[in-house]
Amino acid sequence: MAWLLVVVAGFLETGFAICLKLSHGFTRLWPTIGFAVFAVSSFGLLTLALRKLDVGPAYAVWTGIGAAGTAIYGMVFLGEIASTLKIVSITLVVAGVIGLQLSGPAH
């Protein structure tokens, strides 16, 4: 259950990063509100998960999901350039997150 919280928190991190971009420096109301909701929710779920998980792997999984999700969203929906190196790098981030998940002790 704790890992599920981390995964959901990671997707919410993607949401707050995207809203941060769309807020244009907190000058647009709805993306700014979205940023606040996603950020508080993401940190809240991560905090709950850290009651049962080691901080290193949990934080790495959280940031890895957020980073990969944000990069993929940017390429698909925001017109950011999708290069081979970018896609390989995202794949390596995801592989690292999976490796950390598999290498730690089960709780």
Side-chain angles (χ1 to χ4, degrees), residues 26-65:
F26 300 124
T27 60
R28 294 186 175 164
L29 178 63
W30 292 113
T32 299
I33 291 170
F35 164 79
V37 169
F38 282 124
V40 168
S41 300
S42 180
F43 285 114
L45 291 179
L46 180 63
T47 299
L48 292 174
L50 288 177
R51 291 179 178 174
K52 304 239 186 228
L53 300 174
D54 292 337
V55 70
Y59 184 76
V61 168
W62 178 70
T63 58
I65 291 170

Side-chain angles (χ1 to χ4, degrees), residues 44-105:
L45 291 179
L46 180 63
T47 299
L48 292 174
L50 288 177
R51 291 179 178 174
K52 304 239 186 228
L53 300 174
D54 292 337
V55 70
Y59 184 76
V61 168
W62 178 70
T63 58
I65 291 170
T70 303
I72 291 167
Y73 186 93
M75 289 184 287
V76 173
F77 296 106
L78 299 178
E80 296 178 5
I81 295 172
S83 68
T84 302
L85 181 57
K86 226 183 231 188
I87 293 167
V88 168
S89 297
I90 291 168
T91 303
L92 290 172
V93 168
V94 172
V97 164
I98 292 169
L100 280 169
Q101 167 72 5
L102 295 175
S103 70

